[in-house]
Amino acid sequence: MKSIYSSDIGDLIIFADLKIDGIYFANQKNLPKEMCKNEKNFENKIIRECKIWLDDYFNGIIPENKLEINFTCSRLQKKVYEKTLEIPFGETLSYKSLSLNVFNDVNHSRFVANTLAKNKFIIVVPCHRVISSKGELRGYLAGVNKKRFLLEHERKFR
């Protein structure tokens, strides 16, 4: 099932059944086109909870409800996503620091970056909070301008 969520930064497409299967910007590079074609806009309990979460987020409220996410990835990738979920609202962490948090080793930062490049849960799994060691904004599926917008948005409410 899918539903559209309109935000100041653009439309988000939410896919969900028993858990959240994906949240993408409508113009995002890895948007699964096959999932978009055949379904009408629909809402279920999981999608409504996700929209409440997004409402809170865009209103500057740190969302308290935990969404049920359907991670379909390897155990190591899931570990990267779970550690990314721990990055506080309005703060950033480098790929190397996240690698250190996940693997106790900075030499896995490329794995971390590649994993986050496949993030199917935009904003909710806050890969926009992960930046280069030099503080540069890089590698955001929806574009660096959206990454910058989200970080500035969060900093306003810290």
Side-chain angles (χ1 to χ4, degrees):
M1 294 174 212
K2 76 166 187 176
S3 187
I4 306 294
Y5 177 88
S6 294
S7 75
D8 291 342
I9 192 171
D11 286 347
L12 293 158
I13 302 174
I14 304 165
F15 297 100
D17 195 7
L18 301 175
K19 294 182 177 183
I20 300 292
D21 294 312
I23 303 168
Y24 302 85
F25 280 106
N27 61 347
Q28 191 171 314
K29 291 178 186 174
N30 67 335
L31 177 66
K33 304 284 187 222
E34 67 282 355
M35 291 176 75
C36 292
K37 309 186 214 183
N38 300 326
E39 286 197 36
K40 296 180 180 177
N41 211 23
F42 186 83
E43 285 201 16
N44 61 17
K45 179 181 180 258
I46 302 296
I47 288 174
R48 282 189 296 277
E49 288 173 1
C50 184
K51 286 184 172 186
I52 290 168
W53 191 100
L54 289 166
D55 282 342
D56 286 347
Y57 176 86
F58 284 110
N59 286 314
I61 300 165
I62 299 171
E64 291 184 24
N65 60 326
K66 300 288 182 209
L67 297 173
E68 293 186 55
I69 298 173
N70 184 18
F71 288 108
T72 53
C73 56
S74 74
R75 181 182 57 79
L76 290 177
Q77 289 171 318
K78 185 176 179 185
K79 199 171 175 183
V80 170
Y81 293 132
E82 288 170 342
K83 286 292 185 183
T84 304
L85 283 165
E86 295 174 11
I87 302 170
F89 188 92
E91 295 184 22
T92 58
L93 195 65
S94 72
Y95 292 99
K96 282 185 180 179
S97 295
L98 186 56
S99 175
L100 189 61
N101 289 350
V102 175
F103 300 106
N104 294 321
D105 184 351
V106 296
N107 294 319
H108 291 82
S109 57
R110 176 143 338 256
F111 178 82
V112 167
N114 288 335
T115 297
L116 294 180
K118 298 173 186 143
N119 182 11
K120 299 189 308 183
F121 308 98
I122 208 82
I123 301 173
V124 172
V125 175
C127 59
H128 61 276
R129 296 180 190 151
V130 184
I131 60 174
S132 78
S133 309
K134 297 176 184 176
E136 298 169 339
L137 305 183
R138 293 189 178 166
Y140 194 61
L141 289 165
V144 173
N145 289 337
K146 283 191 166 93
K147 185 171 190 164
R148 183 177 295 108
F149 176 94
L150 294 169
L151 291 172
E152 289 172 0
H153 166 76
E154 291 181 11
R155 288 182 184 127
K156 284 190 295 191
F157 297 101
R158 245 192 329 177

